[in-house]
Amino acid sequence: MKLKLSALVLALSATVAMAGPTCHVPKEKWMKEADFKALMEKQGYTIKTFKVSKGQCYEIYGLDKDGKKVEIYFDPATAAELERK
C-alpha cells in the first residue's frame, strides 16, 4: 500500500512541476493573437504551435533565432516572457 501511495504522490508532483505559469489578465486586455505571433516572428522565433495554456497564458512551441527548440509562456497582454522550458 505504501508503494502505491508513494507512486501516486510522485505522479502528482510531476504533474504540478510540469504545469506552466498562470496569467491573471482579463481577456479584453490581451494582445490580438495575430499581433502577438507577428511580434514573435519579428524577434526571430519560428512558431510551430501556438496556444492558450491551461493557465491562460500565450504559449509557443517552435524554434528560436538560433534554431533551437523552445517552449515558452508569455503574458497575453504584454508579451513578456514568463517561463521557458
Side-chain angles (χ1 to χ4, degrees):
M1 180 66 176
K2 282 187 179 182
L3 184 58
K4 287 183 182 180
L5 183 58
S6 295
L8 178 62
V9 169
L10 218 89
L12 290 174
S13 297
T15 302
V16 172
M18 299 281 292
T22 300
C23 295
H24 302 284
V25 180
K27 287 208 177 201
E28 63 270 7
K29 294 188 177 186
W30 287 21
M31 181 182 293
K32 291 180 183 175
E33 289 182 16
D35 293 342
F36 174 81
K37 290 176 186 178
L39 178 62
M40 293 302 106
E41 289 171 354
K42 187 176 180 181
Q43 292 179 9
Y45 292 101
T46 301
I47 300 171
K48 303 260 183 193
T49 302
F50 167 86
K51 68 180 191 175
V52 175
S53 69
K54 290 180 182 179
Q56 298 298 295
C57 301
Y58 281 165
E59 180 180 8
I60 65 166
Y61 294 84
L63 305 172
D64 67 11
K65 63 183 176 186
D66 298 322
K68 294 180 181 177
K69 287 184 178 182
V70 293
E71 174 186 352
I72 311 174
Y73 296 86
F74 296 89
D75 180 292
T78 65
E81 185 176 320
L82 301 174
E83 185 176 319
R84 183 182 291 242
K85 294 183 178 182

